[in-house]
């Protein structure tokens, strides 16, 4: 059948039911669940593991769906987007924690020198003059 | 003053730029070959584009495939889109660490209103009313039922309560029924607050929410002398307004309009504002409603949906409509408002202003119904005529319908601490942070949205609410996406909207 | 263009000193030690007690050839008048004007050194030589300045390069000139140290503002323009730290080819990240020093950047951040920007072209830098 999105097989589509098979190597279970959640106002949803190891999603409509092919496409898109969100969440988990801690901290968590140092000692070498010696830069080589 | 340089000093000849300066590439190279993502959320704006919001709600709209490239660390460094993402703190690379400091500071700024705590105190001075609006959420009592008036002891306890809040701003809103039917108490409260404030030194604002039918000279003079503002309802041109807001026989339009004129003429046009509530009858007439506001000399209009309380709930679909239908009405009304703006007419739509401030500015907003944690109790609070304290207007209406779930306490017998720490308040606050609720926590417009536990409880039986079925969610998604589309795709409209913040 | 340094033909053996000029022969004896009497002509005898005497006549008659402490005024310094403060180095005969009573552009130059090397710097720091210590001269001058001086600038080089001198000078301003607004021009990098911000705040100056440049929203571009790595981070942290201590900050953006296209992004960056700044100044180039040497690399005609300039102004204005445009002529600006264009060029280097004689808006126009005679927009025209 239709295989417009890698790892997301639309097995069957009707005005009362849609069945998908999704590759867990591409889509996290949490992403599939979140996508399903968004459709749970209009569908009863079952998630199973198929024999091939893929996740089978059965969406049984509560009322007849007019444009079921488009709806199926929407579901696949939603899974894709939710997977992307999971990637972002994982990728930014640590920096997000740091940002929240910094937001509620009275001191800097990344610039202790700026916060605590005596400017006379200048540990960050800010005073170092750009003109302490004239530069001879060979820019022709670039 | 602009001091640009030293006076002339005898100088050695200046060396040539080639020998003196490092080239651009040397600094450019410090950015490195890779980048790290900073936290952000996104949702589909349309078929081809995502709307992205960073940690503190800064907005970008990008093609979907670009976002995918970006997330998978394959976006070309030093491309135009890369710079947009970098400048707005969606990514960080090797030449700078200060985005961490800036994002943390911006986050604090967006949350800053929290530390102010409760600033809006809504006092229901009486349930008596002389009108019978079709969507009324108050179940007004007739004019002679004085047992539904707030008493002085309750009023005095309310004033004490207000000053327990740490907020530097205290905004007192007189509600009802019709507050002008019990004006003596309004005067008493205003005077008590002023007296208390002589030593408390807060910023005080007074507003009366009134239908203006009892606007006497005495009222006008008092409000002039004590800097009291007026808020009224104007649903549209005469026939529409009267259909929604009949007044036991004749319509209320005449009173409202003449009241508006009187306040504008005697106290000034800034002293009165109006909002409209849409019923099914309103949806066909966006331009006429806007015209009515212009005609009455307003510079601001609040386009508001029905809430599912009181008579509105009982009457059901007679005056009701779907959110899609309302959004259609809103878009048309806004388009017309923008058209008028381009012709030099000053008129802003207040919901758009609020959302634009969230989207475009670094500042916190204090609108009670669009906060996370929810604005119930901690931004605004309601003290009913009988001394019952509710966390919001909606909570009180729920109580009128028989459900006291959100009753926080009794102002006469309970202490401030007990009321503010009651389970009726803490529970909904804890459970409904948009940062934590399913579908809200990673929603692209989370920074611009809020939670409404009372409404979700009323409509779904659960404070958290199942968002796919939530009208509140649908409405805000529709509003924000529409505004973002205008900002992104319509330069003329965007230019006007950007002046509204 | 006014000459602020001069060389007299006379010298004598004496230590350098700072003094206030007066034309009044009858000054109270107690103050004469701090003052220099300015005379129109030579005289046979001079009132006693003044630190020195300056005559307007260039050439001395023979009778006074050997009279110590009498200097003829160098050429082109005839503008000096009562209340001006000068530094005189008798052994070399050098006169340096530190302060002019009727100028709105008085500046204290704390040091000639800098820790940046901006590619458009109009007054590059001197290369290595003897380290100057200018603070004592200024500390002597401040008490001699008029109490009703409205504004005073503190600049350099980079004032925070000698942080303790800067602190002393600010304290002196507070003590001697409590009604004078002070603006410190600095790259802000040393304010990365909270300890310096703390010390500044302890002085408790009643009307103090910091003018700090940011040249891009992209860190590496800013670093390139100032020729110092990490400068952007340090400057932004410096501004944030000043804010934490309740100090007032103005952001200055010099417009050059390297940053003018991103001006709207820079404006939005300021509005979102530094929304507390009191003012933003968008500044045209001064074609001197490195700017003159690099002119072909950095110059962009203002007539060609009106679109990003307007967009930036619109953004800042919508966010209620006051904006001014400095060093631009009215004829090259879009009309909507005219209210923001200030007469910003220091009086002593402010000039107009011949073309400007017949211009209808000359009175409101800021004109040109003296050094811009051949380096200005091709769009200059009479209104």
């Amino acid at each position: 059948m239709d295989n417009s999105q890698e790892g997301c097989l639309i097995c069957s589509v009707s005005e009362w039911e849609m069945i998908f098979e999704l590759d867990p190597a591409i889509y996290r279970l949490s992403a599939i669940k979140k996508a399903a959640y968004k459709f749970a106002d209009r569908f009863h949803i079952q998630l199973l593991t198929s024999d091939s190891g893929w996740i089978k999603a059965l969406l049984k409509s509560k009322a007849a769906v007019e444009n079921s092919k488009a709806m199926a496409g929407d579901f696949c898109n939603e899974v894709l987007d939710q997977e992307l969100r999971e990637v972002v969440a994982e990728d930014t988990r640590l920096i997000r924690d740091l940002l929240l801690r910094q937001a509620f901290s009275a001191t800097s968590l990344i610039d202790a020198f700026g916060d605590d140092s005596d400017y006379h000692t200048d540990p960050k070498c800010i005073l170092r003059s750009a003109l302490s010696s004239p530069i001879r830069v060979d820019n022709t080589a670039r | 003053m602009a001091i640009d340089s030293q006076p002339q000093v005898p100088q050695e000849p200046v060396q040539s730029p080639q020998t003196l300066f490092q080239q651009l590439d040397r600094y450019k190279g410090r950015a490195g070959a890779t980048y790290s993502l900073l936290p952000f959320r996104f949702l589909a704006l349309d078929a081809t584009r995502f709307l992205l919001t960073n940690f503190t709600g800064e907005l970008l709209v990008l093609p979907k495939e670009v976002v995918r490239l970006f997330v998978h660390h394959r976006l070309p460094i030093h491309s135009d889109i890369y710079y947009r993402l970098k400048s707005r703190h969606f990514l960080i690379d090797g030449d700078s660490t200060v985005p961490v400091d800036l994002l943390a500071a911006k986050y604090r700024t967006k949350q800053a209103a929290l530390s102010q705590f409760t600033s809006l105190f809504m006092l229901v001075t009486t349930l008596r009313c002389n009108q019978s609006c079709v969507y009324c959420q108050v179940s007004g009592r007739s004019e002679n039922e004085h047992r539904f008036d707030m008493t002085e002891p309750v009023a005095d306890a309310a004033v004490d309560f207000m000053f327990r809040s740490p907020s530097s701003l205290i905004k007192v809103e007189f509600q009802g029924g019709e507050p002008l039917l019990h004006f003596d108490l309004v005067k008493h409260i205003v005077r008590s607050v002023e007296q208390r404030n002589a030593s408390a030194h807060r910023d005080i604002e007074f507003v009366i929410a009134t239908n203006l039918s009892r606007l006497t000279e005495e009222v006008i003079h008092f409000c002039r002398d004590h800097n009291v503002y007026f808020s009224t309802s104007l649903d549209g041109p005469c026939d529409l307004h009267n259909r929604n807001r009949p007044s036991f026989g004749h319509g209320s339009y005449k009173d409202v309009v003449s009241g508006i004129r009187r306040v504008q003429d005697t106290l000034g046009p800034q002293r009165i504002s109006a909002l409209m509530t849409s019923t099914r009858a309103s949806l066909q007439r966006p331009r006429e409603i806007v015209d009515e506001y212009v005609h009455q000399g307003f510079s601001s209009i609040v386009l508001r949906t029905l809430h599912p309380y009181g008579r509105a709930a009982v009457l059901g679909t007679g005056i009701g409509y779907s959110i899609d239908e309302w959004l259609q009405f809103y878009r048309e009304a806004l388009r017309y408002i923008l058209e008028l703006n381009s012709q030099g007419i000053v008129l802003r739509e207040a919901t758009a202003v609020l959302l634009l401030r969230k989207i475009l500015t670094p500042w916190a907003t204090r609108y009670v119904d669009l906060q996370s944690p929810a604005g119930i109790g901690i931004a605004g609070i309601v003290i009913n005529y009988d001394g019952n304290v509710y966390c919001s207007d909606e909570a009180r209406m729920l109580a009128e319908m028989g459900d006291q779930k959100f009753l926080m306490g009794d102002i006469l017998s309970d202490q401030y601490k007990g009321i503010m720490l009651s389970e009726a308040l803490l529970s909904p606050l804890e459970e409904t942070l948009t940062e934590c609720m399913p579908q809200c926590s990673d929603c692209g417009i989370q920074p611009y949205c809020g939670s409404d536990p009372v409404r979700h409880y009323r409509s779904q039986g659960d404070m958290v609410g199942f968002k796919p079925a939530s009208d509140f969610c649908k409405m805000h998604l529709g509003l924000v996406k529409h505004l973002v589309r205008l900002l992104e795709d319509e330069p003329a409209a965007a230019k006007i909207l950007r002046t509204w913040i | 263009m006014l000459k602020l340094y001069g060389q007299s033909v006379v010298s004598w053996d004496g230590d350098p000193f700072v003094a206030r000029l007066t034309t009044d022969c009858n000054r109270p004896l107690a103050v004469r030690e701090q003052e220099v009497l300015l005379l129109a002509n030579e005289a046979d005898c001079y009132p006693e007690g003044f630190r020195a005497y300056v005559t307007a006549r260039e050439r001395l008659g023979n009778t006074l050839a050997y009279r110590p402490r009498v200097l003829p005024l160098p050429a082109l310094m005839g503008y000096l008048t009562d209340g001006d403060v000068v530094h005189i180095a008798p052994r070399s005969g050098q006169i340096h004007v530190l302060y002019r009573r009727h100028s709105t552009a008085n500046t204290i130059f704390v040091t000639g050194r800098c820790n940046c090397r901006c590619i458009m710097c109009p007054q590059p720091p001197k290369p290595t030589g003897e380290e100057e210590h200018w603070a004592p001269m200024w500390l002597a001058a401040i008490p001699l300045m008029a109490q009703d001086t409205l504004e005073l600038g503190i600049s350099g080089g980079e004032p925070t390069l000698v942080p303790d001198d800067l602190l002393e000078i600010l304290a002196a301003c507070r003590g001697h000139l409590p009604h004078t607004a002070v603006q410190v021009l600095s790259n802000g990098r040393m304010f990365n140290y909270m300890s310096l911000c703390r010390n500044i705040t302890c002085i408790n100056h009643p009307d103090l503002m910091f003018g700090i440049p940011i040249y891009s929203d992209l860190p590496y571009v800013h670093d390139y323009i100032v020729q110092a790595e990490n400068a952007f981070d340090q400057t932004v942290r410096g501004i944030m730290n000043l804010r934490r201590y309740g100090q007032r900050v103005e952001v200055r953006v010099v417009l050059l080819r390297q940053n003018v296209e991103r001006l709207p992004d820079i404006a939005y960056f300021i509005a979102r990240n530094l929304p507390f700044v009191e003012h933003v100044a968008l500044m045209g180039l001064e074609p001197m020093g490195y700017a003159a040497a690099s002119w072909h690399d950095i110059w962009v005609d203002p007539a060609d950047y009106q679109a990003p300039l307007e967009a930036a102004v619109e953004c800042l204005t919508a966010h209620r951040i006051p904006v001014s445009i400095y060093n631009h002529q009215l004829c090259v600006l879009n009309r909507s920007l005219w209210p923001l264009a200030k007469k910003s060029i220091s009086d002593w280097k402010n000039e107009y072209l011949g073309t400007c004689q017949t211009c209808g808006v000359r009175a409101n126009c800021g004109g040109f830098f003296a050094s811009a005679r051949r380096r200005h927009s091709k769009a200059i025209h009479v209104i």
Side-chain angles (χ1 to χ4, degrees), chain B residues 95-355:
Chain B
D95 68 357
S96 174
T97 59
V98 82
V100 173
D101 307 69
L102 290 170
L103 282 169
K106 287 187 284 188
Y107 188 82
R108 270 200 303 275
T109 303
K110 281 280 183 186
Q111 307 299 328
L114 276 175
S115 65
Q116 285 287 301
F117 214 59
T118 321
S119 58
L120 174 62
F121 297 89
M122 294 167 274
L123 306 186
V124 181
T125 51
T126 178
L127 288 190
R128 292 185 292 127
C129 192
N130 59 349
Q131 287 182 8
S132 177
C133 306
V134 297
Y135 44 68
C136 181
Q137 304 163 64
V138 184
S139 43
R141 303 295 173 178
S142 72
E143 278 195 56
N144 50 17
E145 290 189 85
H146 289 270
R147 64 199 169 94
F148 293 101
D149 287 355
M150 182 182 278
T151 61
E152 255 185 45
V154 169
D156 291 340
V159 172
D160 276 341
F161 187 89
M162 281 178 221
F163 282 90
R164 296 295 302 265
S165 171
S167 175
S168 57
L169 166 69
I170 292 181
K171 184 167 173 177
V172 184
E173 190 172 296
F174 298 103
Q175 295 182 349
E178 172 48 57
L180 294 184
L181 292 178
H182 192 26
F183 191 62
D184 282 342
L185 190 72
V186 172
K187 289 193 292 186
H188 174 79
I189 293 170
V190 168
R191 290 199 181 100
S192 305
V193 168
E194 284 171 346
Q195 204 171 40
R196 280 294 294 271
N197 201 44
S199 48
H201 305 299
R202 316 283 184 96
D203 291 323
I204 306 283
E205 285 177 27
F206 295 110
V207 187
I208 302 186
T210 168
N211 61 35
L212 296 174
S213 58
R214 295 294 161 93
L215 191 66
T216 62
E217 281 299 296
E218 185 211 357
V219 170
I220 296 222
H221 288 149
F222 184 85
C223 293
R224 176 198 62 200
D225 295 340
H226 297 271
N227 213 28
V228 180
Y229 285 70
F230 288 86
S231 168
T232 192
S233 278
L234 179 64
D235 281 5
C238 183
D239 67 303
L240 181 57
H241 181 93
N242 285 339
R243 188 165 159 182
N244 287 348
R245 303 175 68 85
S247 178
F248 300 124
H250 66 285
S252 57
Y253 177 84
K254 224 162 58 99
D255 284 338
V256 162
V257 161
S258 85
I260 290 169
R261 279 285 143 71
R262 277 176 74 199
V263 172
Q264 286 171 338
D265 290 342
T266 54
L267 303 179
Q270 297 314 310
R271 292 286 285 273
I272 182 162
S273 63
L275 41 82
M276 61 84 65
T277 304
S278 343
T279 59
R280 174 162 286 279
S282 325
L283 295 194
Q284 307 309 315
R285 306 168 68 173
R287 292 171 81 105
E288 288 178 60
I289 293 169
V290 173
D291 278 335
E292 182 66 28
Y293 271 71
V294 175
H295 186 57
Q296 299 304 335
F298 288 112
S299 57
S300 174
I301 179 173
V302 190
L303 299 177
R304 212 169 59 146
T305 59
L306 287 174
H307 285 221
Y309 304 98
R311 285 206 199 103
V314 168
L315 288 171
T317 58
I319 54 167
Y321 41 78
S322 72
I323 288 294
D324 282 330
E325 288 173 301
W326 185 83
L327 284 169
Q328 173 67 18
F329 159 82
Y330 182 87
R331 288 191 291 265
E332 267 188 66
L334 184 64
R335 175 144 320 275
Y336 184 54
I337 291 170
L338 290 171
E339 209 180 287
L340 293 175
N341 268 249
S342 69
Q343 292 161 21
I345 292 170
V346 177
L347 183 67
R348 296 172 185 200
E349 199 285 310
T351 314
V353 170
L354 170 69
L355 290 169

Side-chain angles (χ1 to χ4, degrees), chain C residues 102-155:
Chain C
H102 300 292
S103 169
T104 52
N106 285 304
T107 303
I108 294 174
F109 295 97
V110 179
T111 176
R113 293 185 298 116
C114 191
N115 55 353
C116 288
R117 196 201 309 232
C118 300
I119 62 178
M120 72 296 187
C121 183
Q123 196 71 37
K126 289 156 96 166
T128 48
E130 203 181 276
E131 204 141 293
E132 301 131 340
H133 194 42
W134 297 350
M137 179 176 77
W138 291 106
L139 291 169
I142 288 167
L144 303 177
M145 297 177 185
Q147 285 284 296
D148 60 4
T149 305
L150 286 175
E151 301 172 299
L152 203 53
I154 297 181
S155 184

